[in-house]
Amino acid sequence: MASSGKKKTTMAKLMRESRLRERRLDKQARKDARKSAAALGEQPAGEELLDALGDTEDDAELTSQDGSAPEVLEEPRRQIS
């Protein structure tokens, strides 16, 4: 029996796979850069940027004015019958 010539993979799936391959390549490049920087005794570029920025806005939202963590209020659980 001959196979049909119809394409069975959608463009959406092909695009997802393509993005996944790109992310994996980017991740491997970052990993290699970290390894080579560690071998040379340098600080990776991403960490230099974080050091230069200091505290971020997200950190400021997570702490109150006195520096303590905010209270987390939990709603009482409802019993489902």
Side-chain angles (χ1 to χ4, degrees):
M1 307 226 20
S3 64
S4 65
K6 185 175 178 180
K7 183 177 79 168
K8 295 182 181 180
T9 304
T10 62
M11 282 303 294
K13 182 175 181 179
L14 292 172
M15 293 303 295
R16 282 193 306 271
E17 291 171 346
S18 172
R19 283 193 311 264
L20 179 61
R21 279 191 301 272
E22 289 176 12
R23 281 195 308 263
R24 286 179 177 165
L25 288 173
D26 290 343
K27 184 176 180 180
Q28 187 64 41
R30 287 192 307 270
K31 185 177 179 181
D32 293 342
R34 280 194 309 271
K35 282 185 178 182
S36 64
L40 297 174
E42 298 175 358
Q43 188 176 24
E47 291 179 11
E48 290 174 357
L49 180 61
L50 289 176
D51 289 344
L53 291 176
D55 289 336
T56 62
E57 293 177 15
D58 295 336
D59 293 339
E61 291 176 4
L62 294 176
T63 57
S64 62
Q65 290 178 352
D66 63 355
S68 63
E71 290 185 28
V72 178
L73 301 177
E74 188 174 310
E75 293 184 28
R77 298 184 186 254
R78 297 180 196 155
Q79 189 171 17
I80 300 173
S81 48

